[in-house]
Amino acid sequence: MNNTLASTLGELQTKIYWLHDAEKFAELAEAATKIYMKLGYDQQKAEIVGHLISEAYQLSDDADISYKAGDIEKEIKFYNQVKDRFIEVEAILGLQKSIAEHQMKWWIYFRHKQKLQVIYHLFLQHFKPLGFRYLFIAVQLTYCMLKIGKGHNLRDIEITHKNTTKYWMQLLKCHITKYPYLG
């Protein structure tokens, strides 16, 4: 069951990345909604969360455009809006409060090509809610996310799906009720 669920969640996560690239934000929201429904959230909460995640992706694109234009103040404004969307997601899903901040930060550093900062915030996004009990899994999740990013950058959907499935297999091993995944 967990392997099937992990594969389905991995497929949906992979789909989110490709829909983001294609700027199909309504479909991205639908894919995110499906992830949260598969994780056991009711449809209304999942739809709100899916919409917020889609908005976060759009705002991060606006932030990147501002960054490339040299308007750092505007970039920061957009990333603060990304964080606000993720904070809403945390509240709706009942997640620990540090996840949004770390997700937003690793997105910034990913776009700025600051790999060590990406690793640091990816790790904290997973370690803080999972704790020392799942330290090794938090390290594995961080590694999986890096491999997912590499597969996506190569535009290789198979590698990306393989690694998103590994990510979910590791995360589901924790048998927790609240997963530190925000899109």
Side-chain angles (χ1 to χ4, degrees), residues 10-11 13-19 21 148 150-165:
E11 184 178 326
Q13 183 178 351
T14 300
K15 190 174 183 181
I16 286 173
Y17 301 140
W18 263 257
L19 291 168
D21 291 345
I148 290 165
K150 185 176 181 180
H152 181 246
N153 286 343
L154 293 171
R155 299 298 183 248
D156 190 322
I157 200 163
E158 288 180 34
I159 289 173
T160 305
H161 181 242
K162 175 183 161 190
N163 286 301
T164 54
T165 299

Tab-separated table of all heavy atoms in Angstrom, residues 10-11 13-19 21 148 150-165:
chain	number	residue	atom	x	y	z
A	10	GLY	N	4.335	10.697	-5.639
A	10	GLY	CA	5.489	11.096	-6.437
A	10	GLY	C	5.089	11.565	-7.824
A	10	GLY	O	5.621	12.554	-8.340
A	11	GLU	N	4.143	10.867	-8.410
A	11	GLU	CA	3.653	11.255	-9.739
A	11	GLU	C	2.994	12.642	-9.681
A	11	GLU	O	3.230	13.490	-10.543
A	11	GLU	CB	2.652	10.214	-10.238
A	11	GLU	CG	2.138	10.458	-11.637
A	11	GLU	CD	1.197	9.354	-12.083
A	11	GLU	OE1	1.393	8.186	-11.713
A	11	GLU	OE2	0.251	9.690	-12.808
A	13	GLN	N	3.535	14.998	-7.402
A	13	GLN	CA	4.568	15.993	-7.110
A	13	GLN	C	5.340	16.340	-8.380
A	13	GLN	O	5.604	17.513	-8.660
A	13	GLN	CB	5.508	15.488	-6.024
A	13	GLN	CG	6.562	16.494	-5.604
A	13	GLN	CD	7.454	15.969	-4.482
A	13	GLN	OE1	7.189	14.931	-3.898
A	13	GLN	NE2	8.511	16.693	-4.194
A	14	THR	N	5.696	15.320	-9.154
A	14	THR	CA	6.389	15.539	-10.424
A	14	THR	C	5.525	16.386	-11.352
A	14	THR	O	6.014	17.323	-11.990
A	14	THR	CB	6.729	14.188	-11.086
A	14	THR	OG1	7.577	13.449	-10.205
A	14	THR	CG2	7.404	14.368	-12.429
A	15	LYS	N	4.253	16.071	-11.389
A	15	LYS	CA	3.315	16.809	-12.235
A	15	LYS	C	3.296	18.295	-11.854
A	15	LYS	O	3.254	19.164	-12.726
A	15	LYS	CB	1.916	16.194	-12.082
A	15	LYS	CG	0.904	16.673	-13.056
A	15	LYS	CD	-0.392	15.874	-12.893
A	15	LYS	CE	-1.399	16.292	-13.930
A	15	LYS	NZ	-2.660	15.554	-13.791
A	16	ILE	N	3.344	18.575	-10.562
A	16	ILE	CA	3.351	19.974	-10.100
A	16	ILE	C	4.520	20.730	-10.726
A	16	ILE	O	4.358	21.856	-11.206
A	16	ILE	CB	3.397	20.052	-8.559
A	16	ILE	CG1	2.025	19.681	-7.979
A	16	ILE	CG2	3.831	21.439	-8.079
A	16	ILE	CD1	1.997	19.553	-6.469
A	17	TYR	N	5.704	20.125	-10.742
A	17	TYR	CA	6.872	20.811	-11.288
A	17	TYR	C	6.709	21.110	-12.776
A	17	TYR	O	7.058	22.194	-13.252
A	17	TYR	CB	8.150	19.996	-11.046
A	17	TYR	CG	8.437	19.730	-9.581
A	17	TYR	CD1	8.913	18.505	-9.162
A	17	TYR	CD2	8.230	20.705	-8.622
A	17	TYR	CE1	9.182	18.251	-7.826
A	17	TYR	CE2	8.493	20.468	-7.280
A	17	TYR	CZ	8.967	19.239	-6.894
A	17	TYR	OH	9.226	18.998	-5.571
A	18	TRP	N	6.179	20.145	-13.524
A	18	TRP	CA	6.004	20.352	-14.959
A	18	TRP	C	4.875	21.344	-15.240
A	18	TRP	O	4.969	22.142	-16.167
A	18	TRP	CB	5.798	19.015	-15.669
A	18	TRP	CG	7.101	18.538	-16.233
A	18	TRP	CD1	7.492	18.596	-17.528
A	18	TRP	CD2	8.214	17.986	-15.520
A	18	TRP	NE1	8.775	18.108	-17.666
A	18	TRP	CE2	9.247	17.722	-16.448
A	18	TRP	CE3	8.450	17.689	-14.187
A	18	TRP	CZ2	10.475	17.188	-16.094
A	18	TRP	CZ3	9.673	17.141	-13.829
A	18	TRP	CH2	10.667	16.900	-14.779
A	19	LEU	N	3.824	21.321	-14.441
A	19	LEU	CA	2.742	22.291	-14.610
A	19	LEU	C	3.226	23.697	-14.274
A	19	LEU	O	2.825	24.668	-14.919
A	19	LEU	CB	1.536	21.908	-13.743
A	19	LEU	CG	0.805	20.643	-14.197
A	19	LEU	CD1	-0.180	20.186	-13.132
A	19	LEU	CD2	0.108	20.868	-15.537
A	21	ASP	N	6.318	24.781	-14.732
A	21	ASP	CA	7.109	25.186	-15.897
A	21	ASP	C	6.217	25.654	-17.043
A	21	ASP	O	6.543	26.589	-17.756
A	21	ASP	CB	7.988	24.035	-16.392
A	21	ASP	CG	9.106	23.684	-15.436
A	21	ASP	OD1	9.394	24.486	-14.521
A	21	ASP	OD2	9.690	22.594	-15.599
A	148	ILE	N	15.683	15.385	-6.877
A	148	ILE	CA	14.472	15.793	-7.596
A	148	ILE	C	14.765	17.072	-8.382
A	148	ILE	O	14.424	17.183	-9.562
A	148	ILE	CB	13.296	16.007	-6.615
A	148	ILE	CG1	12.825	14.670	-6.046
A	148	ILE	CG2	12.133	16.742	-7.299
A	148	ILE	CD1	11.931	14.802	-4.808
A	150	LYS	N	17.628	18.154	-9.404
A	150	LYS	CA	18.554	17.858	-10.504
A	150	LYS	C	17.810	17.237	-11.685
A	150	LYS	O	18.008	17.628	-12.829
A	150	LYS	CB	19.664	16.926	-10.026
A	150	LYS	CG	20.720	16.671	-11.065
A	150	LYS	CD	21.852	15.825	-10.535
A	150	LYS	CE	22.904	15.614	-11.608
A	150	LYS	NZ	24.010	14.798	-11.133
A	151	GLY	N	16.935	16.280	-11.389
A	151	GLY	CA	16.140	15.650	-12.453
A	151	GLY	C	15.259	16.663	-13.163
A	151	GLY	O	15.135	16.654	-14.393
A	152	HIS	N	14.672	17.554	-12.389
A	152	HIS	CA	13.819	18.583	-12.980
A	152	HIS	C	14.633	19.539	-13.837
A	152	HIS	O	14.215	19.900	-14.945
A	152	HIS	CB	13.073	19.344	-11.879
A	152	HIS	CG	12.170	20.391	-12.418
A	152	HIS	ND1	12.389	21.722	-12.202
A	152	HIS	CD2	11.058	20.310	-13.185
A	152	HIS	CE1	11.453	22.421	-12.807
A	152	HIS	NE2	10.623	21.586	-13.410
A	153	ASN	N	15.806	19.949	-13.343
A	153	ASN	CA	16.661	20.837	-14.126
A	153	ASN	C	17.104	20.193	-15.430
A	153	ASN	O	17.291	20.888	-16.427
A	153	ASN	CB	17.880	21.274	-13.321
A	153	ASN	CG	17.530	22.283	-12.256
A	153	ASN	OD1	16.469	22.903	-12.283
A	153	ASN	ND2	18.422	22.454	-11.296
A	154	LEU	N	17.275	18.880	-15.420
A	154	LEU	CA	17.637	18.146	-16.636
A	154	LEU	C	16.428	17.919	-17.548
A	154	LEU	O	16.568	17.398	-18.645
A	154	LEU	CB	18.262	16.791	-16.277
A	154	LEU	CG	19.613	16.825	-15.577
A	154	LEU	CD1	20.003	15.432	-15.094
A	154	LEU	CD2	20.679	17.396	-16.517
A	155	ARG	N	15.254	18.275	-17.044
A	155	ARG	CA	13.979	18.066	-17.742
A	155	ARG	C	13.746	16.585	-18.034
A	155	ARG	O	13.224	16.208	-19.070
A	155	ARG	CB	13.887	18.890	-19.033
A	155	ARG	CG	13.980	20.388	-18.825
A	155	ARG	CD	12.836	20.880	-17.964
A	155	ARG	NE	12.851	22.315	-17.788
A	155	ARG	CZ	13.110	22.911	-16.619
A	155	ARG	NH1	13.390	22.205	-15.546
A	155	ARG	NH2	13.088	24.213	-16.524
A	156	ASP	N	14.139	15.767	-17.057
A	156	ASP	CA	13.963	14.320	-17.165
A	156	ASP	C	12.843	13.903	-16.220
A	156	ASP	O	13.045	13.761	-15.011
A	156	ASP	CB	15.268	13.607	-16.812
A	156	ASP	CG	15.232	12.122	-17.125
A	156	ASP	OD1	14.172	11.489	-16.914
A	156	ASP	OD2	16.261	11.595	-17.575
A	157	ILE	N	11.681	13.681	-16.784
A	157	ILE	CA	10.498	13.371	-15.981
A	157	ILE	C	10.628	12.017	-15.277
A	157	ILE	O	10.139	11.856	-14.154
A	157	ILE	CB	9.213	13.477	-16.831
A	157	ILE	CG1	7.994	13.646	-15.927
A	157	ILE	CG2	9.062	12.311	-17.786
A	157	ILE	CD1	6.772	14.160	-16.635
A	158	GLU	N	11.290	11.054	-15.911
A	158	GLU	CA	11.450	9.729	-15.300
A	158	GLU	C	12.343	9.791	-14.056
A	158	GLU	O	12.011	9.198	-13.023
A	158	GLU	CB	12.011	8.733	-16.318
A	158	GLU	CG	10.995	8.328	-17.375
A	158	GLU	CD	11.569	7.344	-18.375
A	158	GLU	OE1	12.405	6.499	-17.982
A	158	GLU	OE2	11.181	7.424	-19.553
A	159	ILE	N	13.464	10.479	-14.159
A	159	ILE	CA	14.360	10.617	-12.998
A	159	ILE	C	13.649	11.378	-11.885
A	159	ILE	O	13.732	11.014	-10.709
A	159	ILE	CB	15.677	11.327	-13.389
A	159	ILE	CG1	16.547	10.403	-14.251
A	159	ILE	CG2	16.451	11.776	-12.159
A	159	ILE	CD1	17.785	11.065	-14.817
A	160	THR	N	12.935	12.417	-12.271
A	160	THR	CA	12.218	13.207	-11.277
A	160	THR	C	11.171	12.353	-10.571
A	160	THR	O	11.090	12.354	-9.336
A	160	THR	CB	11.569	14.449	-11.926
A	160	THR	OG1	12.592	15.190	-12.605
A	160	THR	CG2	10.900	15.330	-10.883
A	161	HIS	N	10.387	11.598	-11.335
A	161	HIS	CA	9.351	10.752	-10.728
A	161	HIS	C	9.974	9.676	-9.839
A	161	HIS	O	9.480	9.390	-8.746
A	161	HIS	CB	8.447	10.122	-11.782
A	161	HIS	CG	7.373	9.269	-11.186
A	161	HIS	ND1	7.285	7.921	-11.437
A	161	HIS	CD2	6.378	9.560	-10.315
A	161	HIS	CE1	6.267	7.424	-10.751
A	161	HIS	NE2	5.699	8.393	-10.071
A	162	LYS	N	11.070	9.090	-10.285
A	162	LYS	CA	11.755	8.077	-9.483
A	162	LYS	C	12.145	8.668	-8.121
A	162	LYS	O	11.944	8.038	-7.072
A	162	LYS	CB	12.998	7.585	-10.231
A	162	LYS	CG	13.856	6.620	-9.470
A	162	LYS	CD	15.091	6.256	-10.301
A	162	LYS	CE	16.166	5.690	-9.425
A	162	LYS	NZ	17.434	5.543	-10.127
A	163	ASN	N	12.674	9.885	-8.125
A	163	ASN	CA	13.130	10.497	-6.881
A	163	ASN	C	11.988	11.053	-6.040
A	163	ASN	O	12.085	11.047	-4.809
A	163	ASN	CB	14.193	11.559	-7.173
A	163	ASN	CG	15.499	10.907	-7.557
A	163	ASN	OD1	16.067	10.140	-6.787
A	163	ASN	ND2	15.967	11.160	-8.754
A	164	THR	N	10.914	11.522	-6.662
A	164	THR	CA	9.765	11.957	-5.860
A	164	THR	C	9.120	10.749	-5.186
A	164	THR	O	8.665	10.848	-4.041
A	164	THR	CB	8.716	12.727	-6.693
A	164	THR	OG1	8.315	11.941	-7.819
A	164	THR	CG2	9.235	14.089	-7.139
A	165	THR	N	9.121	9.626	-5.855
A	165	THR	CA	8.589	8.399	-5.247
A	165	THR	C	9.461	7.978	-4.067
A	165	THR	O	8.956	7.622	-3.001
A	165	THR	CB	8.476	7.269	-6.289
A	165	THR	OG1	7.570	7.700	-7.322
A	165	THR	CG2	7.963	5.979	-5.665
